[in-house]
Amino acid sequence: MTDLQAGATAFKKSGSGVSLQFEKYGVVIAWLVIIAFFSILLPTTFPTLGTLRLILGTQTVILITTIGLMLSLAVGEFDLSVGSVVGFSASLMAVLNGVWHWGPLESIVTTLVVALIFGAFNAFLSVYVGVQSIIVTLGSGTLLAGLTLFVTNTKVVTGLSQDIVTFMTTPFLGIPIPFWGGLILTIIAWFVLEHTPLGRRMAFVQSNRDVARLAGLKVMWIRAGGLIATSFFAGIAGLVLVGTNGAANPQSGAYYLLPAFAAAFLGSTAIKPGRFNAFGTFIAVYFLVTGITGLQYLGFAGWPEQVFYGGSLIIAVTISHLIGRRRGTAQ
Amino acid sequence: MSNEMKAKPDSVTLSVKNVSKTFFGNTVLSNFDLDIHRGEIVALIGQNGSGKSTFIKILSGFHAPDEGGEFALGSKDISAMLGDRANKTGMAFIHQDIPLIPSMTIIENLRISKFQTGFARRILWKKEAIEVDRILKTVGLDVSPYSRIDQLSVTERALVAIARGLSEIQAGSDLDAQLLVLDEPTAYLPEDGVIRLFSVLKKLTQDGVSILFVSHRLDEVLDHCSRAVVLRGGKKVGDLSTEGKKERDLVEIMLGQEPEKMYPDRSQKLGETVFEVSHLSGSQVTDVSFDGRKGEIVGFIGLPGDGYDQVPYILAGAQKATGGEGSLAGKSVSFEGMTPSKAFRRGIVLLPADRKVLSGAGGMSVGDNLTLPTLARFTAGGIFIQSKKEKTSVLRELQRAGVVPLDGGTRLATLSGGNQQKVLISKWAISDPSVYILHEPTQGVDVGAKRQVFAELNRLADNGALIIISSVEYEDLVNLCDRIHVVRGGKIIETFKGSEVNTHALASAVHQR
């Protein structure tokens, strides 16, 4: 260690209390700041119960997708096909139930099984064959997006059974049921990651794959499980998407890739900085959604969303890289 | 620089004076002086930790020396230039792991940073090929400059690396001296490759190049070097002509006095044979058979590349075994198809030498690392982790192993090497395995922690475990082990009883060819 590093370590020790808290709750603070910002600009329309409902109720698809994506990232795998799975599942559900008139349960189960199989395909190539997951999923996601256009004939598919739509839009405590489902999935992900041996093992697989393997962990299965879980969650997100809208737009999947990555990386800088974690992700999702909603209230539509998501992703990965590098100096 | 200086025959190529290096108040190299004359091949030898790799790292600019050291190459003061390109310092370094890109051609590897280009920055391939061909001829290589590195034999690759080093030095127009530093270049070479390499080096010395040769192989030192400089404990303890010397003479100087009491008293009582291994083989191990008893400490030693250091990894399934079976506690074991998780379930655990990459996850907490393999013990019904139970055990283990600081929440990487190693041994001890396999367990560990690591290994053996240590530390093995196997060419060539061998005999057995 050089004198400079020693100095930095000493400095960090003295300041670690405050800076660590700031690091943990940085995203929360940023969230509060933008809420205050929009509330000052739009004192009558923004800080209302209606806005809260809108923010929590309409973006459950992003929440579930992101929580799912986080499960891959938490074992060190990149899944770029996650948006395509959302779009495909929504379309498949619409085709099965709305066009072919399968029962709701059969349609749901079939859709989720297909999502699982797709995840297993990603896992087979990435883990068993050993191709980098970022490449595998780039290909498989594009392929699936094409198949989505094929099964829907490139048209919006309608005719979803009214029962499903009603269920998905029924409010509970003022917010539609899917939000509560998303919250439960978040809590399950939190529990698994924080409190089960599996979660601890996932953290080791991400942190140091060789150490995990030599400690006797079944690293291949853990990595595969992460990728399969991501597809499964994306399948659920697709069901929520089609159920909430009552129809499936075959092009919609592409919309979910970037927000999910932005939120997952942003989430890894919060609550447990440096680790992909469930509540950090939850907060990051709603930070982004709040920002977008506020921008829409101000009359910006379209381009600001992309600027906001893209900018947040870059800021998030930069912060998490800096956290990682600072930790690295102590090694 | 005038040309007549270049021709001066008996001038000094490298002159190093008063070089020291201190890490954290720990002096690893002190007041080292070294002169290498024009056309001379000088060997730098010493045990691990003697300071020789520190010196090489200082020369190559990886470590900054303490103040006061002087470095000159020929007539040029290079003290401020260490770490600069070879054409500035006149020194080129060739390491055992040759940094050539296998999928690229010799031309590309040699010329990547200085391609001659023509119109539109097009590379002048023909000119390059002629130039590279000339360079290859100087090291006696007759292969096409367009050959890919992965088409060459290991010996040819080593020669290409030397050619690259030479061409880098020769690019410096104002240099009046040239030095090649070879760091264990022969570790992975076959015997005829070693002979070829040295015949090339001899030819280069006739052209005025000087060579500093760092090696564990004393036979090569005696055969090919004119002088040997010996380091021990960071000090120069010998600088002698190799004329008429025997390996024994060098070993004597390398090892010096017996060190202070460092080792636990080994119990004389061993249990029954618990582990039998026959015909174990892998990429570097051809046929190793041995057995071990309860409470025994078994050592493996050899030279790099000879397989002693692969034995731990294939026994524990971390690297592929191509053959070998045996038995553990009466049940048969097959080493082909062994995986770390199977080994762990059978009670075989491995502590690799590379702590940062293979053994511990530095970014995770001490407690997390400690309970990684045995997490299932700290769960309720196998479902969720009972943190209180886990924390209590972590604290107990840390206390027992004497880990500082006594805190399961700090990140492993912030601990000293010795404390990390204590944590990583304890991580296995929780599961109470029957066989511990360790590779260089005290690498990068200070003397005090070393003593503790040995005491812990002794305790585990006394509790009935079999300990297998693969290491190049003669004294450690001699003082700890009940039996020591010397591995060469992937086979056990000699076995010593710990009580009947001294470091000198062991070192000679290892170094003889």
Side-chain angles (χ1 to χ4, degrees):
Chain A
M1 203 190 285
T2 65
D3 289 346
L4 196 68
Q5 283 169 332
T9 313
F11 172 76
K12 224 165 54 192
K13 265 183 193 153
S14 66
S16 68
V18 179
S19 70
L20 193 72
Q21 293 306 312
F22 184 77
E23 209 172 291
K24 272 181 161 178
Y25 298 109
V27 178
V28 179
I29 293 166
W31 192 16
L32 296 176
V33 168
I34 63 164
I35 290 174
F37 174 76
F38 287 120
S39 300
I40 291 165
L41 280 183
L42 304 158
T44 51
T45 48
F46 192 81
T48 62
L49 206 58
T51 306
L52 180 69
R53 280 194 194 136
L54 185 74
I55 287 173
L56 294 182
T58 57
Q59 302 299 341
T60 309
V61 178
I62 294 181
L63 174 64
I64 298 174
T65 309
T66 309
I67 295 290
L69 177 66
M70 181 196 71
L71 295 174
S72 280
L73 294 170
V75 295
E77 303 295 328
F78 276 84
D79 189 343
L80 295 181
S81 67
V82 66
S84 296
V85 179
V86 174
F88 180 78
S89 305
S91 299
L92 183 63
M93 178 69 194
V95 169
L96 293 178
N97 179 252
V99 181
W100 295 1
H101 302 296
W102 288 23
L105 191 66
E106 293 99 299
S107 306
I108 288 171
V109 171
T110 308
T111 303
L112 291 179
V113 167
V114 171
L116 279 175
I117 292 171
F118 182 77
F121 173 74
N122 281 342
F124 174 76
L125 290 178
S126 313
V127 178
Y128 188 76
V129 178
V131 187
Q132 284 179 11
S133 56
I134 191 166
I135 304 297
V136 168
T137 54
L138 178 63
S140 69
T142 309
L143 185 149
L144 194 67
L147 287 180
T148 312
L149 295 176
F150 173 71
V151 298
T152 57
N153 208 7
T154 327
K155 291 193 180 78
V156 173
V157 184
T158 54
L160 200 72
S161 111
Q162 195 52 47
D163 295 346
I164 297 176
V165 179
T166 311
F167 174 78
M168 291 287 189
T169 48
T170 306
F172 174 73
L173 297 178
I175 302 164
I177 282 180
F179 168 76
W180 301 106
L183 187 62
I184 290 170
L185 289 176
T186 306
I187 291 169
I188 291 173
W190 164 79
F191 181 79
V192 169
L193 290 177
E194 302 293 323
H195 291 283
T196 68
L198 177 61
R200 182 78 61 79
R201 287 170 186 152
M202 289 167 76
F204 269 89
V205 169
Q206 191 211 352
S207 171
N208 194 322
R209 205 184 276 177
D210 285 320
V211 169
R213 184 176 67 91
L214 293 179
L217 305 198
K218 302 210 159 123
V219 172
M220 295 209 346
W221 285 108
I222 292 172
R223 291 169 58 207
L227 285 165
I228 294 171
T230 298
S231 279
F232 184 69
F233 274 56
I236 297 175
L239 295 178
V240 171
L241 176 64
V242 69
T244 313
N245 294 341
N249 175 353
Q251 318 259 18
S252 63
Y255 173 78
Y256 292 98
L257 180 61
L258 199 78
F261 268 92
F265 275 99
L266 197 56
S268 76
T269 65
I271 310 301
K272 288 197 111 182
R275 275 260 197 113
F276 289 99
N277 67 89
F279 287 130
T281 302
F282 183 87
I283 288 163
V285 166
Y286 285 103
F287 163 77
L288 292 176
V289 171
T290 306
I292 298 288
T293 309
L295 289 170
Q296 285 168 346
Y297 274 31
L298 285 175
F300 298 108
W303 68 267
E305 288 195 17
Q306 302 209 1
V307 170
F308 191 66
Y309 280 139
S312 302
L313 177 59
I314 289 172
I315 291 168
V317 293
T318 306
I319 293 172
S320 60
H321 174 76
L322 292 177
I323 292 174
R325 202 168 60 181
R326 212 193 58 193
R327 308 223 144 151
T329 56
Q331 299 214 0
Chain B
M1 208 60 52
S2 69
N3 267 328
E4 53 199 279
M5 281 194 77
K6 285 192 177 181
K8 208 188 258 179
D10 198 35
S11 54
V12 174
T13 295
L14 177 74
S15 167
V16 166
K17 283 192 182 68
N18 199 28
V19 176
S20 301
K21 179 69 193 173
T22 310
F23 290 107
F24 308 110
N26 220 341
T27 304
V28 291
L29 188 66
S30 82
N31 305 96
F32 183 58
D33 297 338
L34 176 67
D35 279 342
I36 299 176
H37 296 268
R38 186 182 160 86
E40 208 181 10
I41 305 185
V42 174
L44 182 63
I45 57 175
Q47 299 179 77
N48 287 8
S50 60
K52 65 182 192 310
S53 34
T54 306
F55 176 65
I56 300 303
K57 283 178 177 164
I58 289 173
L59 266 194
S60 64
F62 186 83
H63 290 320
D66 296 349
E67 255 171 67
E70 289 169 38
F71 300 82
L73 198 89
S75 55
K76 193 170 169 185
D77 181 358
I78 56 167
S79 305
M81 277 186 249
L82 300 176
D84 277 4
R85 301 186 60 89
N87 60 4
K88 291 243 181 75
T89 62
M91 300 187 291
F93 295 82
I94 292 116
H95 299 279
Q96 62 179 39
D97 300 310
I98 299 162
L100 296 170
I101 301 170
S103 61
M104 292 209 176
T105 64
I106 299 179
I107 298 185
E108 288 164 331
N109 269 289
L110 256 55
R111 306 286 301 170
I112 187 68
S113 60
K114 43 191 173 293
F115 279 127
Q116 309 172 61
T117 55
F119 179 67
R121 298 282 291 155
R122 189 188 75 86
I123 296 171
L124 301 173
W125 288 111
K126 274 212 181 114
K127 259 185 142 173
E128 290 290 344
I130 293 166
E131 170 67 9
V132 169
D133 202 47
R134 186 192 64 77
I135 301 170
L136 291 179
K137 290 265 159 46
T138 62
V139 296
L141 261 181
D142 190 20
V143 293
S144 159
Y146 294 102
S147 322
R148 280 164 50 132
I149 297 298
D150 52 14
Q151 295 167 334
L152 304 176
S153 71
V154 259
T155 310
E156 287 169 333
R157 281 182 218 187
L159 292 174
V160 170
I162 289 172
R164 178 165 71 179
L166 272 180
S167 73
E168 280 169 6
I169 298 176
Q170 287 166 354
S173 53
D174 66 337
L175 292 172
D176 57 2
Q178 303 174 345
L179 178 71
L180 281 180
V181 180
L182 295 125
D183 190 0
E184 297 275 2
T186 57
Y188 297 110
L189 295 189
E191 218 150 324
D192 59 333
V194 175
I195 293 165
R196 186 167 169 200
L197 179 81
F198 275 103
S199 77
V200 169
L201 294 181
K202 287 241 162 78
K203 226 182 104 251
L204 293 177
T205 58
Q206 286 156 16
D207 300 337
V209 177
S210 306
I211 289 159
L212 179 60
F213 178 68
V214 182
S215 183
H216 278 114
R217 306 214 155 159
L218 301 182
D219 53 341
E220 291 171 6
V221 169
L222 291 175
D223 287 353
H224 304 290
C225 301
S226 50
R227 197 147 61 86
V229 173
V230 190
L231 279 169
R232 189 202 314 139
K235 292 201 178 76
K236 184 155 100 175
V237 291
D239 186 341
L240 59 159
S241 157
T242 54
E243 193 78 36
K245 297 288 189 309
K246 295 231 164 50
E247 284 173 28
R248 234 198 123 66
D249 305 326
L250 296 183
V251 168
E252 200 101 8
I253 305 169
M254 269 167 62
L255 298 182
Q257 302 286 311
E258 289 289 319
E260 57 183 307
K261 171 144 172 96
M262 170 92 202
Y263 303 95
D265 292 322
R266 295 279 301 127
S267 151
Q268 296 307 308
K269 279 180 243 147
L270 298 181
E272 73 271 23
T273 298
V274 64
F275 192 39
E276 283 175 313
V277 176
S278 38
H279 310 302
L280 184 71
S281 55
S283 62
Q284 288 173 40
V285 175
T286 45
D287 183 3
V288 164
S289 303
F290 70 100
D291 59 26
R293 298 163 68 173
K294 278 191 164 186
E296 189 176 8
I297 301 183
V298 176
F300 281 88
I301 193 166
L303 294 173
D306 264 348
Y308 80 97
D309 49 354
Q310 198 188 31
V311 169
Y313 298 91
I314 54 181
L315 280 177
Q319 285 177 20
K320 265 210 164 76
T322 52
E325 58 280 327
S327 70
L328 176 59
K331 287 188 198 146
S332 72
V333 182
S334 167
F335 293 100
E336 255 182 291
M338 180 66 90
T339 64
S341 73
K342 277 187 203 169
F344 176 62
R345 282 201 302 272
R346 300 296 301 267
I348 303 173
V349 301
L350 169 72
L351 206 70
D354 193 334
R355 256 197 309 278
K356 271 186 196 157
V357 176
L358 296 176
S359 191
M364 304 289 289
S365 75
V366 168
D368 287 354
N369 272 286
L370 195 66
T371 57
L372 176 66
T374 47
L375 259 183
R377 294 175 182 225
F378 306 104
T379 58
I383 300 169
F384 62 89
I385 300 169
Q386 294 171 307
S387 355
K388 246 194 200 152
K389 196 170 161 189
E390 188 191 4
K391 274 186 189 141
T392 321
S393 302
V394 165
L395 215 58
R396 198 178 51 228
E397 286 297 324
L398 294 182
Q399 208 153 19
R400 200 188 43 65
V403 175
V404 184
L406 197 60
D407 176 5
T410 51
R411 287 182 314 113
L412 184 73
T414 61
L415 267 57
S416 72
N419 281 300
Q420 287 188 30
Q421 197 68 336
K422 287 186 247 169
V423 170
L424 296 169
I425 293 174
S426 302
K427 120 177 159 179
W428 290 128
I430 296 176
S431 71
D432 199 19
S434 33
V435 184
Y436 290 82
I437 308 171
L438 304 99
H439 182 206
E440 298 296 356
T442 56
Q443 201 172 69
V445 167
D446 66 61
V447 179
K450 217 166 152 174
R451 191 177 287 128
Q452 283 174 299
V453 167
F454 294 146
E456 176 69 1
L457 293 179
N458 185 51
R459 188 187 70 86
L460 295 169
D462 282 348
N463 287 350
L466 164 65
I467 316 274
I468 297 171
I469 301 175
S470 165
S471 173
V472 292
E473 307 286 347
Y474 309 109
E475 290 110 349
D476 295 355
L477 292 186
V478 165
N479 287 289
L480 284 174
C481 295
D482 302 296
R483 271 185 290 180
I484 304 164
H485 302 294
V486 180
V487 179
R488 181 175 309 146
K491 290 190 177 81
I492 294 177
I493 51 146
E494 200 163 354
T495 298
F496 294 100
K497 278 203 168 156
S499 52
E500 292 169 3
V501 67
N502 60 27
T503 38
H504 293 233
L506 184 61
S508 311
V510 168
H511 286 290
Q512 257 155 29
R513 275 238 160 219

